[in-house]
Amino acid sequence: QVQLKESGPGLVQPSQTLSLTCTVSGFSLTSNSVHWVRQPPGKGLEWVGAIWSGGSTDYNSALKSRLSISRDTSKSQVFLKMNSLQTEDTAIYFCTRQGPYGSFHYWGQGVMVTVSS
Amino acid sequence: DTVLTQSPALAVSPGERVTISCRASESVSTGMHWYQQKPGQQPKLLIYGASNLESGVPARFSGSGSGTDFTLTIDPVEADDTATYFCQQSWNDRTFGGGTKLELK
């Protein structure tokens, strides 16, 4: 069945770089697009960016200068790298597979990232 | 960016009908989707393409609208529907509404 699982450090220091991995199973990254969505504690959802099935990427314009999304199709993994982290980047980071009409069909459990010294 | 506006909270009694609204700052055609999120869980897709019910979601949930005004309806509401509901558009990049917290009286 379709599964997505996020992994990465729980704590990152301010100004440092965040690296997250989304490991997927049950589907191919070359046939499906994967997005990152984040949610600060107690707040709403924010789209971070996407890597499309063809390998191209799109980013939230507010984060674009700090963000990179890539993938390793042989390992069924999608990577998120965000630099110059600030406390406002503290959030649960979810990876999600795109569904019909551009919806987010399947979601990982999320990984909590805290930016603090 | 396309801004989606939702009412922050609603309170209804079990068995009643509830409508949750989402207004877009510009037309998103039918590129609107609805999610349910319970505390400590990931969001769950309920409705895609404004009015299509996701597989496995009870028929008590329905969606309508196009352009800038959209509605998620739950009829009848059950105790288990206590959650926060988010709209999301996919017509102009991707944005989410701020969420509507549904509480049961």
Side-chain angles (χ1 to χ4, degrees):
Chain A
Q1 72 275 28
V2 172
Q3 291 187 325
L4 302 94
K5 185 175 176 61
E6 307 87 349
S7 58
L11 181 66
V12 180
Q13 295 202 338
S15 80
Q16 297 302 300
T17 296
L18 171 66
S19 294
L20 296 177
T21 299
C22 174
T23 302
V24 310
S25 59
F27 66 95
S28 168
L29 291 176
T30 56
S31 302
N32 294 273
S33 302
V34 172
H35 298 247
W36 290 94
V37 173
R38 70 179 183 178
Q39 185 171 36
K43 297 191 177 181
L45 300 163
E46 180 182 32
W47 178 70
V48 173
I51 186 160
W52 305 104
S53 57
S56 61
T57 54
D58 271 320
Y59 302 127
N60 183 318
S61 57
L63 304 172
K64 189 172 185 175
S65 63
R66 303 193 288 131
L67 189 60
S68 174
I69 297 175
S70 60
R71 70 184 184 183
D72 183 334
T73 56
S74 67
K75 293 183 178 179
S76 294
Q77 292 181 323
V78 175
F79 309 105
L80 178 149
K81 288 191 189 303
M82 185 182 300
N83 59 31
S84 304
L85 251 60
Q86 301 301 319
T87 55
E88 308 86 80
D89 297 311
T90 294
I92 300 171
Y93 286 74
F94 297 97
C95 58
T96 173
R97 192 187 92 170
Q98 180 162 310
Y101 291 70
S103 62
F104 299 135
H105 200 188
Y106 294 95
W107 294 71
Q109 298 274 30
V111 59
M112 180 67 203
V113 174
T114 301
V115 181
S116 174
S117 55
Chain B
D1 289 1
T2 303
V3 176
L4 303 181
T5 302
Q6 298 181 243
S7 299
L10 286 171
V12 298
S13 299
E16 290 186 345
R17 178 177 184 266
V18 65
T19 57
I20 299 171
S21 64
C22 178
R23 174 163 286 177
S25 60
E26 57 188 324
S27 177
V28 299
S29 186
T30 55
M32 183 64 74
H33 323 290
W34 291 93
Y35 302 86
Q36 176 192 67
Q37 187 180 34
K38 297 182 178 181
Q41 296 184 16
Q42 67 270 58
K44 174 187 174 183
L45 178 64
L46 299 174
I47 301 288
Y48 62 90
S51 61
N52 299 283
L53 188 67
E54 168 66 358
S55 176
V57 174
R60 303 183 291 103
F61 292 87
S62 62
S64 63
S66 66
T68 60
D69 290 294
F70 298 86
T71 299
L72 172 71
T73 300
I74 311 173
D75 186 14
V77 170
E78 296 183 357
D80 187 52
D81 298 334
T82 298
T84 301
Y85 293 84
F86 293 94
C87 55
Q88 175 246 323
Q89 66 84 20
S90 57
W91 194 251
N92 306 303
D93 277 338
R94 307 282 191 273
T95 50
F96 288 90
T100 297
K101 188 173 184 179
L102 180 66
E103 296 179 339
L104 269 63
K105 298 177 185 175

PDB file of all heavy atoms in Angstrom, chain A residues 1-4 25-27 97 106-107:
ATOM      1  N   GLN A   1       0.835  -1.179   0.000  1.00  0.00           N
ATOM      2  CA  GLN A   1       0.000   0.000   0.000  1.00  0.00           C
ATOM      3  C   GLN A   1       0.883   1.247   0.000  1.00  0.00           C
ATOM      4  O   GLN A   1       2.074   1.178   0.284  1.00  0.00           O
ATOM      5  CB  GLN A   1      -0.948   0.011   1.215  1.00  0.00           C
ATOM      6  CG  GLN A   1      -0.291   0.279   2.542  1.00  0.00           C
ATOM      7  CD  GLN A   1       0.290  -0.953   3.190  1.00  0.00           C
ATOM      8  OE1 GLN A   1       0.677  -1.896   2.510  1.00  0.00           O
ATOM      9  NE2 GLN A   1       0.373  -0.935   4.507  1.00  0.00           N
ATOM     10  N   VAL A   2       0.275   2.379  -0.307  1.00  0.00           N
ATOM     11  CA  VAL A   2       1.015   3.638  -0.383  1.00  0.00           C
ATOM     12  C   VAL A   2       1.409   4.094   1.017  1.00  0.00           C
ATOM     13  O   VAL A   2       0.569   4.150   1.918  1.00  0.00           O
ATOM     14  CB  VAL A   2       0.155   4.724  -1.060  1.00  0.00           C
ATOM     15  CG1 VAL A   2       0.840   6.089  -0.977  1.00  0.00           C
ATOM     16  CG2 VAL A   2      -0.139   4.356  -2.505  1.00  0.00           C
ATOM     17  N   GLN A   3       2.697   4.399   1.175  1.00  0.00           N
ATOM     18  CA  GLN A   3       3.192   4.925   2.451  1.00  0.00           C
ATOM     19  C   GLN A   3       4.240   5.992   2.189  1.00  0.00           C
ATOM     20  O   GLN A   3       5.000   5.903   1.218  1.00  0.00           O
ATOM     21  CB  GLN A   3       3.777   3.802   3.317  1.00  0.00           C
ATOM     22  CG  GLN A   3       2.745   2.823   3.841  1.00  0.00           C
ATOM     23  CD  GLN A   3       3.327   1.821   4.820  1.00  0.00           C
ATOM     24  OE1 GLN A   3       4.468   1.398   4.683  1.00  0.00           O
ATOM     25  NE2 GLN A   3       2.553   1.450   5.826  1.00  0.00           N
ATOM     26  N   LEU A   4       4.254   6.983   3.061  1.00  0.00           N
ATOM     27  CA  LEU A   4       5.284   8.013   3.055  1.00  0.00           C
ATOM     28  C   LEU A   4       5.763   8.174   4.500  1.00  0.00           C
ATOM     29  O   LEU A   4       4.944   8.167   5.431  1.00  0.00           O
ATOM     30  CB  LEU A   4       4.759   9.352   2.548  1.00  0.00           C
ATOM     31  CG  LEU A   4       4.150   9.384   1.144  1.00  0.00           C
ATOM     32  CD1 LEU A   4       2.656   9.200   1.184  1.00  0.00           C
ATOM     33  CD2 LEU A   4       4.480  10.693   0.425  1.00  0.00           C
ATOM     34  N   SER A  25       6.841   4.279  -0.369  1.00  0.00           N
ATOM     35  CA  SER A  25       6.674   2.903  -0.833  1.00  0.00           C
ATOM     36  C   SER A  25       5.270   2.746  -1.405  1.00  0.00           C
ATOM     37  O   SER A  25       4.372   3.522  -1.094  1.00  0.00           O
ATOM     38  CB  SER A  25       6.912   1.904   0.305  1.00  0.00           C
ATOM     39  OG  SER A  25       6.015   2.142   1.370  1.00  0.00           O
ATOM     40  N   GLY A  26       5.127   1.754  -2.266  1.00  0.00           N
ATOM     41  CA  GLY A  26       3.818   1.485  -2.857  1.00  0.00           C
ATOM     42  C   GLY A  26       3.531   2.272  -4.115  1.00  0.00           C
ATOM     43  O   GLY A  26       2.447   2.133  -4.696  1.00  0.00           O
ATOM     44  N   PHE A  27       4.475   3.130  -4.529  1.00  0.00           N
ATOM     45  CA  PHE A  27       4.292   3.870  -5.773  1.00  0.00           C
ATOM     46  C   PHE A  27       5.649   4.350  -6.274  1.00  0.00           C
ATOM     47  O   PHE A  27       6.633   4.363  -5.530  1.00  0.00           O
ATOM     48  CB  PHE A  27       3.330   5.047  -5.609  1.00  0.00           C
ATOM     49  CG  PHE A  27       3.818   6.153  -4.715  1.00  0.00           C
ATOM     50  CD1 PHE A  27       4.463   7.268  -5.240  1.00  0.00           C
ATOM     51  CD2 PHE A  27       3.627   6.097  -3.348  1.00  0.00           C
ATOM     52  CE1 PHE A  27       4.894   8.301  -4.431  1.00  0.00           C
ATOM     53  CE2 PHE A  27       4.051   7.117  -2.523  1.00  0.00           C
ATOM     54  CZ  PHE A  27       4.695   8.227  -3.054  1.00  0.00           C
ATOM     55  N   ARG A  97       1.706  12.807  -1.191  1.00  0.00           N
ATOM     56  CA  ARG A  97       1.645  12.481  -2.604  1.00  0.00           C
ATOM     57  C   ARG A  97       0.461  13.191  -3.258  1.00  0.00           C
ATOM     58  O   ARG A  97      -0.641  13.206  -2.709  1.00  0.00           O
ATOM     59  CB  ARG A  97       1.494  10.964  -2.826  1.00  0.00           C
ATOM     60  CG  ARG A  97       1.716  10.537  -4.266  1.00  0.00           C
ATOM     61  CD  ARG A  97       1.386   9.076  -4.483  1.00  0.00           C
ATOM     62  NE  ARG A  97      -0.009   8.907  -4.900  1.00  0.00           N
ATOM     63  CZ  ARG A  97      -0.517   7.767  -5.346  1.00  0.00           C
ATOM     64  NH1 ARG A  97       0.249   6.700  -5.396  1.00  0.00           N
ATOM     65  NH2 ARG A  97      -1.781   7.693  -5.712  1.00  0.00           N
ATOM     66  N   TYR A 106      -2.207  11.185  -0.142  1.00  0.00           N
ATOM     67  CA  TYR A 106      -1.610  10.388   0.921  1.00  0.00           C
ATOM     68  C   TYR A 106      -0.587  11.248   1.650  1.00  0.00           C
ATOM     69  O   TYR A 106       0.176  11.980   1.014  1.00  0.00           O
ATOM     70  CB  TYR A 106      -0.911   9.148   0.358  1.00  0.00           C
ATOM     71  CG  TYR A 106      -1.850   8.153  -0.280  1.00  0.00           C
ATOM     72  CD1 TYR A 106      -2.081   8.172  -1.653  1.00  0.00           C
ATOM     73  CD2 TYR A 106      -2.500   7.184   0.483  1.00  0.00           C
ATOM     74  CE1 TYR A 106      -2.942   7.255  -2.242  1.00  0.00           C
ATOM     75  CE2 TYR A 106      -3.351   6.265  -0.099  1.00  0.00           C
ATOM     76  CZ  TYR A 106      -3.570   6.311  -1.461  1.00  0.00           C
ATOM     77  OH  TYR A 106      -4.417   5.402  -2.042  1.00  0.00           O
ATOM     78  N   TRP A 107      -0.562  11.092   2.970  1.00  0.00           N
ATOM     79  CA  TRP A 107       0.302  11.907   3.810  1.00  0.00           C
ATOM     80  C   TRP A 107       1.185  11.032   4.689  1.00  0.00           C
ATOM     81  O   TRP A 107       0.755   9.966   5.140  1.00  0.00           O
ATOM     82  CB  TRP A 107      -0.530  12.790   4.737  1.00  0.00           C
ATOM     83  CG  TRP A 107      -1.346  13.836   4.061  1.00  0.00           C
ATOM     84  CD1 TRP A 107      -2.465  13.642   3.286  1.00  0.00           C
ATOM     85  CD2 TRP A 107      -1.149  15.248   4.115  1.00  0.00           C
ATOM     86  NE1 TRP A 107      -2.967  14.851   2.854  1.00  0.00           N
ATOM     87  CE2 TRP A 107      -2.174  15.851   3.352  1.00  0.00           C
ATOM     88  CE3 TRP A 107      -0.207  16.074   4.743  1.00  0.00           C
ATOM     89  CZ2 TRP A 107      -2.281  17.239   3.191  1.00  0.00           C
ATOM     90  CZ3 TRP A 107      -0.311  17.451   4.583  1.00  0.00           C
ATOM     91  CH2 TRP A 107      -1.339  18.022   3.813  1.00  0.00           C
TER      92      TRP A 107
END
